[in-house]
Amino acid sequence: MNNKAFYNLTYGVFLLAAKAEEKANACIVNTGVQVAGSPVRVAVSVLNTNYTCALIKESGRFTLSALDDSCSFETIKHFGMQSGRDVDKLDGLPMPTDESGVPYLNWSTCARFSGKVTHSVDLGTHTLFIADVTEACVLSDAPSVTYEYYFEHIKPKPPV
């Protein structure tokens, strides 16, 4: 199997957040997609080892923030390259919450969605959550970040 073939699938870059009890966390994911129109549903896939995954399993709720092209590598690094089990990623950040109290990113974000999980599927390394969309908001007119854009324009290039 040529794994490079998978680079030709299109992906976005998203901040996935969840809250259960008083614990909240967020992580970077590249799998978020609308999967139905009536009712409106989205699906997200997240690593089973991510703390955010555990919070979604516990609460059945999440927010999905579609990052826009103003997003910095520092934002990606902060949410995607450290564990919420080791550090409170949301500490001191002015993040608003949706109607369920789940935080979302309101900068470097073109849209955000709130989801109430209806189904989950254990995929081995990941869990796929399918959720009814309870809120959807446009936050900017900036283009959303694709995985390709992230690698070409946001992620630092290794030294030559």
Side-chain angles (χ1 to χ4, degrees):
M1 181 177 336
N2 185 342
N3 287 333
K4 286 186 177 183
F6 293 100
Y7 297 159
N8 292 304
L9 294 175
T10 55
Y11 299 96
V13 181
F14 307 92
L15 182 91
L16 179 66
K19 181 179 180 185
E21 302 294 325
E22 295 306 310
K23 302 283 186 177
N25 194 58
C27 66
I28 300 295
V29 299
N30 70 348
T31 308
V33 62
Q34 181 180 351
V35 293
S38 183
V40 179
R41 288 192 171 145
V42 294
V44 296
S45 180
V46 60
L47 275 167
N48 285 326
T49 56
N50 281 7
Y51 185 44
T52 304
C53 186
L55 295 176
I56 295 171
K57 287 178 179 179
E58 185 177 336
S59 70
R61 299 217 175 240
F62 63 80
T63 60
L64 188 66
S65 302
L67 301 179
D68 70 29
D69 66 1
S70 73
C71 187
S72 69
F73 181 69
E74 287 307 311
T75 297
I76 302 275
K77 184 177 171 184
H78 178 79
F79 290 106
M81 298 179 186
Q82 59 183 344
S83 173
R85 288 185 174 88
D86 301 328
V87 77
D88 183 351
K89 297 182 195 181
L90 308 182
D91 186 39
L93 294 179
M95 293 177 69
T97 59
D98 71 0
E99 86 263 350
S100 297
V102 181
Y104 63 90
L105 200 63
N106 65 343
W107 70 89
S108 298
T109 301
C110 55
R112 72 109 177 140
F113 309 88
S114 295
K116 182 178 179 187
V117 175
T118 60
H119 301 84
S120 64
V121 180
D122 186 340
L123 302 173
T125 58
H126 290 66
T127 295
L128 180 70
F129 295 102
I130 301 168
D132 287 339
V133 175
T134 59
E135 288 184 73
C137 302
V138 173
L139 300 177
S140 85
D141 292 329
S144 58
V145 171
T146 64
Y147 212 42
E148 179 182 21
Y149 184 90
Y150 165 72
F151 280 107
E152 291 295 321
H153 301 284
I154 298 174
K155 184 178 181 184
K157 305 286 185 262
V160 179

